[in-house]
Amino acid sequence: MSEGAWDETVRRFLLEHRFGMDEVVTKLSILRDEFAHLHDYNPIESVSSRLKSPESLLEKMERRGIDLDGPDPLARVRQEITDVAGVRVTCSFVSDVYHVVDLLMAQPDVTTLELRDYIADPKPNGYRSLHALVEVPVFLSGGSVPVVVEVQFRTIAMDFWASLEHKIYYKYRRDVPADLLAGLKEAADTAYALDATMERLHQEVRGLDPLDDS
Ligand code: GTP
Ligand code: MG
């Protein structure tokens, strides 16, 4: 594919992803407002989103060995690069994370393609979050287009940790010294212990028995 043709293809591809991303953000904002108004309780602290830039998309394609001159590069991008549209949801408590992800996935126009629970099963470095890969229909002049959006759900404590870890990772150009890695892992566990304590207090305040799972 010529560079000119690719630029045009990518412009449309990224535009569709922006629409899909905005749709997911709207869904979450509606849930947030509804909770605030009707239930006097807000399980969502913040929602942010980012779209991959054309440069960063090209860079990831190179890493994945997707060649512009190969057969149907766009089809391979659609299949292999699923974080073009990214939404991040921060909640106060772990129970809120699971509650909000359930509410989103239960919506009839949201198809869950993949759910990765790095809260129950953290990465070896200590990273915790819940990743949902969802597909939503975007209605354009030519009809409906399915768009894939990566949604990351985490608590404030998990987000605090992930931001610092991300900075350190890039500062050391992905080659983080062992003592820092160990310190980060310890901090991740401390953050999770804080999440557990906050959850317990939260349930107590809400007048629930913390041992009652219902
Ligand atoms: P990419 O890493 O994006 O190629 O996708 P993947 O297939 O490895 O998915 P994964 O679920 O591992 O990670 C997707 C996204 O989650 C990343 O782009 C980050 O935003 C976030 N993430 C995953 N692992 C970590 C981590 O160890 N630290 C931090 N700070 N963020 C992470
Ligand atoms: Mg990764």
Side-chain angles (χ1 to χ4, degrees), residues 60 63-64 83 88 116 118 123 125 127 131 150 152 154 161-163 165-166:
K60 192 157 185 175
R63 259 193 289 139
R64 296 282 166 105
D83 62 347
R88 187 169 289 157
R116 290 197 204 177
Y118 296 124
K123 291 195 172 185
N125 64 355
Y127 177 78
H131 293 187
E150 182 188 280
Q152 302 179 348
R154 42 173 83 148
W161 182 90
S163 315
E165 191 268 352
H166 185 77

Short mmCIF file of all heavy atoms in Angstrom, two decimals, residues 60 63-64 83 88 116 118 123 125 127 131 150 152 154 161-163 165-166, ligand 1:
data_model
loop_
_atom_site.label_atom_id
_atom_site.label_comp_id
_atom_site.label_asym_id
_atom_site.label_seq_id
_atom_site.Cartn_x
_atom_site.Cartn_y
_atom_site.Cartn_z
N LYS A 60 4.16 0.55 16.63
CA LYS A 60 3.72 -0.75 17.14
C LYS A 60 3.59 -1.77 15.99
O LYS A 60 3.88 -2.95 16.18
CB LYS A 60 2.39 -0.62 17.88
CG LYS A 60 2.03 -1.87 18.66
CD LYS A 60 1.06 -1.60 19.79
CE LYS A 60 0.83 -2.87 20.60
NZ LYS A 60 0.00 -2.64 21.79
N ARG A 63 6.98 -3.08 15.37
CA ARG A 63 7.35 -4.04 16.42
C ARG A 63 6.69 -5.39 16.18
O ARG A 63 7.26 -6.44 16.47
CB ARG A 63 6.92 -3.50 17.79
CG ARG A 63 8.06 -2.90 18.59
CD ARG A 63 7.66 -2.68 20.04
NE ARG A 63 6.71 -1.60 20.20
CZ ARG A 63 5.66 -1.62 21.02
NH1 ARG A 63 5.43 -2.69 21.76
NH2 ARG A 63 4.83 -0.61 21.10
N ARG A 64 5.44 -5.34 15.68
CA ARG A 64 4.70 -6.59 15.44
C ARG A 64 4.97 -7.19 14.07
O ARG A 64 4.37 -8.19 13.69
CB ARG A 64 3.19 -6.32 15.58
CG ARG A 64 2.74 -5.90 16.96
CD ARG A 64 2.67 -7.11 17.87
NE ARG A 64 2.58 -6.70 19.26
CZ ARG A 64 1.47 -6.75 20.00
NH1 ARG A 64 0.37 -7.20 19.47
NH2 ARG A 64 1.49 -6.37 21.25
N ASP A 83 -5.28 -1.89 21.20
CA ASP A 83 -5.29 -0.78 22.15
C ASP A 83 -5.19 0.57 21.43
O ASP A 83 -4.60 1.51 21.94
CB ASP A 83 -4.15 -0.94 23.18
CG ASP A 83 -2.78 -0.91 22.53
OD1 ASP A 83 -2.70 -1.02 21.30
OD2 ASP A 83 -1.79 -0.76 23.26
N ARG A 88 -9.52 4.61 30.57
CA ARG A 88 -9.10 4.20 31.91
C ARG A 88 -10.11 4.70 32.94
O ARG A 88 -10.47 5.87 32.95
CB ARG A 88 -7.71 4.75 32.22
CG ARG A 88 -7.14 4.22 33.51
CD ARG A 88 -5.68 4.57 33.65
NE ARG A 88 -4.84 3.82 32.72
CZ ARG A 88 -3.63 4.23 32.32
NH1 ARG A 88 -3.14 5.37 32.75
NH2 ARG A 88 -2.92 3.48 31.51
N ARG A 116 -9.24 -9.54 31.21
CA ARG A 116 -8.02 -10.00 31.90
C ARG A 116 -8.03 -9.42 33.29
O ARG A 116 -7.95 -8.21 33.46
CB ARG A 116 -6.77 -9.51 31.17
CG ARG A 116 -6.55 -10.16 29.85
CD ARG A 116 -5.12 -9.93 29.44
NE ARG A 116 -4.97 -10.02 28.00
CZ ARG A 116 -3.84 -9.80 27.37
NH1 ARG A 116 -2.76 -9.45 28.06
NH2 ARG A 116 -3.76 -9.91 26.07
N TYR A 118 -6.03 -8.78 36.14
CA TYR A 118 -4.73 -8.65 36.80
C TYR A 118 -4.89 -8.17 38.24
O TYR A 118 -3.90 -7.78 38.86
CB TYR A 118 -3.83 -7.66 36.04
CG TYR A 118 -3.46 -8.07 34.63
CD1 TYR A 118 -3.74 -7.23 33.56
CD2 TYR A 118 -2.81 -9.27 34.38
CE1 TYR A 118 -3.38 -7.58 32.27
CE2 TYR A 118 -2.46 -9.63 33.09
CZ TYR A 118 -2.74 -8.78 32.04
OH TYR A 118 -2.39 -9.13 30.76
N LYS A 123 0.43 -9.15 37.63
CA LYS A 123 1.64 -9.48 36.86
C LYS A 123 2.81 -9.66 37.83
O LYS A 123 2.76 -9.14 38.96
CB LYS A 123 1.93 -8.35 35.88
CG LYS A 123 0.90 -8.27 34.76
CD LYS A 123 1.39 -7.39 33.62
CE LYS A 123 0.44 -7.50 32.44
NZ LYS A 123 0.93 -6.76 31.26
N ASN A 125 5.53 -8.22 38.19
CA ASN A 125 6.10 -6.96 38.71
C ASN A 125 5.19 -6.30 39.76
O ASN A 125 5.58 -5.32 40.38
CB ASN A 125 6.40 -5.99 37.57
CG ASN A 125 5.15 -5.54 36.82
OD1 ASN A 125 4.05 -6.01 37.09
ND2 ASN A 125 5.33 -4.62 35.90
N TYR A 127 1.89 -5.38 38.98
CA TYR A 127 0.83 -4.61 38.29
C TYR A 127 -0.55 -5.23 38.51
O TYR A 127 -0.75 -6.42 38.31
CB TYR A 127 1.13 -4.56 36.80
CG TYR A 127 0.07 -3.86 35.98
CD1 TYR A 127 -0.02 -2.48 35.95
CD2 TYR A 127 -0.86 -4.60 35.23
CE1 TYR A 127 -0.99 -1.84 35.20
CE2 TYR A 127 -1.83 -3.96 34.47
CZ TYR A 127 -1.88 -2.58 34.46
OH TYR A 127 -2.84 -1.94 33.72
N HIS A 131 -8.52 -5.52 32.83
CA HIS A 131 -8.55 -5.06 31.44
C HIS A 131 -9.70 -5.71 30.70
O HIS A 131 -9.78 -6.94 30.64
CB HIS A 131 -7.25 -5.43 30.72
CG HIS A 131 -6.04 -4.69 31.22
ND1 HIS A 131 -4.82 -4.78 30.62
CD2 HIS A 131 -5.88 -3.84 32.27
CE1 HIS A 131 -3.95 -4.02 31.28
NE2 HIS A 131 -4.56 -3.44 32.29
N GLU A 150 -10.10 -0.73 24.42
CA GLU A 150 -9.50 -1.35 25.61
C GLU A 150 -9.85 -0.50 26.83
O GLU A 150 -9.53 0.69 26.86
CB GLU A 150 -7.98 -1.45 25.46
CG GLU A 150 -7.33 -2.15 26.66
CD GLU A 150 -5.80 -2.09 26.63
OE1 GLU A 150 -5.20 -2.90 25.91
OE2 GLU A 150 -5.22 -1.24 27.33
N GLN A 152 -9.38 -0.08 30.86
CA GLN A 152 -8.63 -0.51 32.05
C GLN A 152 -9.34 0.03 33.29
O GLN A 152 -9.58 1.22 33.40
CB GLN A 152 -7.22 0.06 32.03
CG GLN A 152 -6.41 -0.32 30.80
CD GLN A 152 -5.01 0.28 30.82
OE1 GLN A 152 -4.70 1.16 31.63
NE2 GLN A 152 -4.15 -0.18 29.93
N ARG A 154 -9.18 0.26 37.48
CA ARG A 154 -8.28 0.08 38.62
C ARG A 154 -8.71 0.97 39.78
O ARG A 154 -9.52 1.88 39.60
CB ARG A 154 -6.84 0.37 38.22
CG ARG A 154 -6.66 1.59 37.33
CD ARG A 154 -5.20 1.93 37.12
NE ARG A 154 -4.55 1.17 36.08
CZ ARG A 154 -3.56 1.66 35.31
NH1 ARG A 154 -3.11 2.89 35.50
NH2 ARG A 154 -3.00 0.92 34.40
N TRP A 161 0.33 3.48 41.81
CA TRP A 161 1.47 2.59 41.60
C TRP A 161 1.84 2.52 40.12
O TRP A 161 3.02 2.65 39.75
CB TRP A 161 1.16 1.18 42.15
CG TRP A 161 2.32 0.24 41.99
CD1 TRP A 161 3.32 0.02 42.88
CD2 TRP A 161 2.61 -0.57 40.85
NE1 TRP A 161 4.23 -0.88 42.37
CE2 TRP A 161 3.81 -1.25 41.13
CE3 TRP A 161 1.99 -0.79 39.63
CZ2 TRP A 161 4.39 -2.15 40.22
CZ3 TRP A 161 2.58 -1.68 38.71
CH2 TRP A 161 3.76 -2.34 39.02
N ALA A 162 0.85 2.31 39.26
CA ALA A 162 1.11 2.11 37.83
C ALA A 162 1.76 3.36 37.20
O ALA A 162 2.61 3.23 36.31
CB ALA A 162 -0.18 1.75 37.10
N SER A 163 1.37 4.55 37.66
CA SER A 163 1.95 5.78 37.10
C SER A 163 3.44 5.84 37.42
O SER A 163 4.25 6.17 36.56
CB SER A 163 1.30 7.04 37.68
OG SER A 163 -0.06 6.90 37.71
N GLU A 165 5.41 3.32 38.30
CA GLU A 165 6.11 2.20 37.66
C GLU A 165 6.39 2.53 36.20
O GLU A 165 7.48 2.27 35.68
CB GLU A 165 5.26 0.93 37.78
CG GLU A 165 5.98 -0.35 37.39
CD GLU A 165 5.81 -0.71 35.94
OE1 GLU A 165 5.00 -0.07 35.22
OE2 GLU A 165 6.51 -1.63 35.48
N HIS A 166 5.41 3.14 35.54
CA HIS A 166 5.53 3.52 34.14
C HIS A 166 6.68 4.52 33.95
O HIS A 166 7.51 4.38 33.04
CB HIS A 166 4.20 4.13 33.68
CG HIS A 166 4.16 4.45 32.22
ND1 HIS A 166 3.99 3.49 31.26
CD2 HIS A 166 4.26 5.62 31.56
CE1 HIS A 166 4.00 4.06 30.08
NE2 HIS A 166 4.15 5.35 30.22
P1 GTP B 1 0.65 -4.06 25.02
O1 GTP B 1 1.53 -4.17 26.25
O2 GTP B 1 -0.02 -2.73 24.95
O3 GTP B 1 1.34 -4.44 23.75
O4 GTP B 1 -0.54 -5.12 25.14
P2 GTP B 1 -0.60 -6.51 25.89
O5 GTP B 1 -1.22 -7.49 24.98
O6 GTP B 1 0.70 -6.87 26.49
O7 GTP B 1 -1.69 -6.20 27.00
P3 GTP B 1 -1.50 -5.97 28.56
O8 GTP B 1 -2.82 -6.35 29.12
O9 GTP B 1 -0.29 -6.63 29.08
O10 GTP B 1 -1.27 -4.39 28.72
C1 GTP B 1 -2.06 -3.43 28.13
C2 GTP B 1 -1.86 -2.08 28.83
O11 GTP B 1 -1.97 -2.21 30.24
C3 GTP B 1 -0.52 -1.41 28.65
O12 GTP B 1 -0.46 -0.68 27.46
C4 GTP B 1 -0.45 -0.51 29.89
O13 GTP B 1 -1.27 0.64 29.74
C5 GTP B 1 -1.07 -1.38 30.93
N1 GTP B 1 -0.06 -2.21 31.60
C6 GTP B 1 0.12 -3.52 31.43
N2 GTP B 1 1.13 -3.98 32.18
C7 GTP B 1 1.60 -2.91 32.86
C8 GTP B 1 2.67 -2.74 33.81
O14 GTP B 1 3.37 -3.66 34.17
N3 GTP B 1 2.85 -1.48 34.30
C9 GTP B 1 2.08 -0.42 33.92
N4 GTP B 1 2.36 0.77 34.46
N5 GTP B 1 1.09 -0.54 33.03
C10 GTP B 1 0.85 -1.76 32.49
#
